[in-house]
């Protein structure tokens, strides 16, 4: 994380304010501006945590704030501790502690042992811009809170970031959800993460999600979620790519298309290649269409690359899919409130019925992909290769990146789709 001081602005300041808010030092919505109120909150936090009170957020202050981004602390058991006492000290519940520590004996806590203590808030934020670093904090927090989640990586990005994947469920049916193929469509990342968190909590407590037993879902299917296919691009759009060769390259490539706003108009990966035009499903036709539209060199959007499967993020998703037996896939994009369900004349069994169900529970329109956009996408390749249901879900309305003020409606519209991807297959 960057060193922040009064006057700083941007995504990292939003994340700082999120942590201070959760810690109880800042009682206002994050705005991304390190002003007087944020400075006062930092000073008070530093004073209470034996840190140098300089109002500058450096390594030590960030480290002290990490529990409020990851959503948990480590408690060393002292003589006389009980789970109830620990829960009261950290403003959480005994149940949350037990779920995060399935192997402890609550009646025989070992003095000196460490216990994971989930803090009393949801881990997944929906009111701040996302970065890859924030994503890693969230996933660590979720996997610690819910040990039955299985995390890993499917590959690496151009900038050598691991591309995370999380599995929930142990059923024989495999299902795959992905988000943020496109940089400025990063609002799709908290959509799938919020679903993951609510699903995990419902499973852990024996509850329901979208009027469906979470434990029935868990036992029916193994759901794999890749929440950020394009981490470098998301970081670029949200201003957290550090100065250096990659940022310089992106700025230079943006100048190939001066009419596309930078960085908000950036959809591609950090190499200037549109990842959802990189799959081997009539890639040559996609190239013809995009070249005819003027997208002939790398830049913010719609450049198909020199061949399919040359960008590492796409290779990672492609190989991950080939190594599994997915019966259904959902690819999350923005915007339009549309469900695209078909590729050319392929109509996999049940795909139309499932698409219509998705439309009913979301209020989204169900449409065939426009011809000019209908080639070389992940959905296209999945349907062509496996003849199984694959969908592109376009969330929200307006110009991407969509404002976070739309998130509550987007999530409410999509929870039925996210559950239905399991129940309807």
């Amino acid at each position: 994380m960057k060193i922040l001081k009064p006057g700083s602005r941007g995504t990292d300041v939003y994340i700082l304010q999120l942590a201070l808010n959760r810690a109880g030092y800042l009682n206002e919505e994050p705005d991304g501006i390190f002003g007087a109120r944020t400075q006062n909150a930092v000073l008070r936090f530093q004073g209470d945590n034996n840190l140098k009170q300089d109002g500058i957020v450096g390594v030590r202050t960030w480290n002290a704030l990490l529990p409020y981004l990851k959503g948990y602390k480590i408690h060393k058991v002292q003589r006389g501790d009980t789970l109830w006492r620990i829960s009261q000290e950290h403003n959480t519940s005994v149940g949350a502690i037990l779920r995060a520590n399935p192997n402890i004996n609550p009646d025989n806590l070992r003095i000196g042992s460490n216990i994971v203590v989930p803090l009393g808030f949801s881990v997944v934020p929906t009111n701040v811009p996302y970065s890859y670093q924030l994503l890693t904090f969230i996933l660590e927090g979720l996997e610690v809170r819910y040990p039955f989640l299985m995390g890993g990586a499917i590959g690496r990005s151009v900038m050598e970031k691991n591309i995370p994947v999380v599995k929930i469920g142990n059923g024989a049916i495999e299902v795959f959800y992905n988000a943020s193929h496109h940089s400025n469509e990063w609002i799709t990342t908290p959509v799938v993460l919020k679903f993951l968190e609510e699903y995990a909590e419902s499973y852990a407590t024996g509850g329901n999600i979208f009027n469906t037993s979470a434990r029935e879902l868990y036992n029916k299917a193994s759901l794999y979620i890749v929440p950020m296919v394009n981490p470098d691009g998301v970081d670029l759009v949200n201003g957290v790519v550090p100065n250096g060769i990659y940022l310089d390259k992106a700025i230079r490539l943006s100048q190939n298309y001066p009419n596309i706003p930078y960085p908000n108009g950036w959809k591609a990966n950090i190499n200037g290649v549109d990842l959802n035009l990189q799959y081997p499903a009539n890639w040559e036709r996609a190239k013809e269409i995009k070249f005819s539209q003027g997208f002939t060199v790398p830049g913010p959007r719609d450049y198909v690359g020199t061949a399919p499967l040359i960008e590492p993020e796409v290779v990672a998703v492609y190989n991950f899919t080939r190594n599994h037996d997915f019966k259904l896939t959902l690819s999350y994009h923005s915007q339009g409130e549309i469900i695209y369900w078909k590729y050319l004349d392929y109509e996999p069994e049940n795909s139309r019925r499932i698409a219509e169900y998705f439309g009913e529970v979301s209020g989204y329109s169900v449409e065939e992909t426009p011809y000019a956009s209908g080639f070389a996408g992940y959905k296209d390749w999945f349907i062509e290769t496996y003849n199984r249901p694959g969908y592109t879900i376009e969330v929200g309305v307006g110009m991407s990146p969509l404002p976070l003020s739309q998130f509550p409606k987007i999530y409410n519209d999509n929870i039925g789709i996210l559950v239905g991807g399991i129940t309807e297959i």
Side-chain angles (χ1 to χ4, degrees), residues 17-301:
Q17 293 169 329
L18 171 71
L20 291 169
N21 184 289
R22 288 173 168 181
Y25 289 85
L26 190 64
N27 295 317
E28 58 185 42
E29 280 292 298
D31 63 4
I33 302 170
F34 198 139
R37 291 183 181 178
T38 300
Q39 181 182 11
N40 289 335
V42 170
L43 288 168
R44 288 187 288 113
F45 179 83
Q46 290 174 328
D48 289 345
N49 288 272
N50 298 315
L51 298 166
K52 181 180 179 181
Q53 282 187 277
D54 56 7
I56 297 173
V57 182
V59 173
R60 293 188 65 199
T61 300
W62 272 122
N63 286 339
L65 286 165
L66 283 182
Y68 302 101
L69 298 174
K70 297 180 179 181
Y72 75 93
K73 290 184 175 181
I74 301 297
H75 179 94
K76 188 172 184 178
V77 176
Q78 308 294 318
R79 186 176 303 277
D81 270 348
T82 64
L83 289 189
W84 184 85
R85 180 184 174 281
I86 295 169
S87 71
Q88 295 303 296
E89 178 182 342
H90 297 285
N91 193 29
T92 187
S93 69
V94 171
I97 297 173
L98 286 171
R99 289 191 291 274
N101 301 271
N103 297 319
I104 65 171
N105 181 350
D107 298 320
N108 186 25
L109 299 180
R110 292 191 300 108
I111 296 173
S113 63
N114 290 327
I115 292 178
V116 173
V117 181
L119 301 179
F121 52 80
S122 297
V123 179
V124 179
T126 61
N127 61 345
V128 297
Y130 268 58
S131 67
Y132 175 74
Q133 184 70 78
L134 178 61
L135 172 67
T136 63
F137 294 154
I138 292 166
L139 291 177
E140 179 183 329
L142 290 176
E143 290 163 23
V144 167
R145 284 191 179 204
Y146 306 109
F148 50 85
L149 297 178
M150 296 181 61
I154 66 170
R156 291 190 173 187
S157 69
V158 173
M159 294 177 65
E160 295 294 318
K161 298 182 179 81
N162 285 329
I163 302 173
V165 62
V166 186
K167 177 192 172 190
I168 181 170
N170 61 9
I173 297 172
E174 291 190 324
V175 180
F176 178 43
Y177 299 169
N178 62 79
S180 291
H181 263 83
H182 289 144
S183 311
N184 62 356
E185 299 175 6
W186 59 262
I187 199 170
T188 59
T189 292
V191 170
V192 296
L193 288 176
K194 193 65 183 173
F195 170 68
L196 175 64
E197 182 173 35
E198 291 192 357
Y199 180 6
E201 174 70 12
S202 297
Y203 172 75
T205 59
N208 293 343
I209 183 167
F210 198 69
N211 299 318
T212 304
S213 165
R215 293 188 177 176
E216 288 183 11
L217 294 178
Y218 192 93
N219 292 326
K220 177 179 180 180
S222 295
L223 170 61
Y224 295 83
I225 299 176
V226 173
M228 191 181 286
V229 174
N230 187 359
D232 303 341
V234 171
D235 278 357
L236 179 69
V237 167
N238 286 331
V240 292
V241 171
N243 292 329
I245 58 171
Y246 291 110
L247 182 59
D248 291 345
K249 180 179 180 180
I251 293 171
R252 186 174 69 254
L253 293 179
S254 73
Q255 295 167 358
N256 290 331
Y257 301 89
N259 292 329
I260 298 175
Y262 174 86
N264 283 356
W266 194 282
K267 293 174 64 179
N269 73 346
I270 204 74
N271 281 338
V273 178
D274 193 314
L275 298 183
N276 210 41
L277 292 170
Q278 267 278 291
Y279 293 92
N282 276 290
W283 176 86
E284 293 80 6
R285 182 63 185 133
K287 178 181 178 181
E288 292 173 6
I289 292 169
K290 296 305 178 184
F291 271 47
S292 72
Q293 295 173 346
F295 298 102
T296 58
V297 294
R301 56 176 293 170

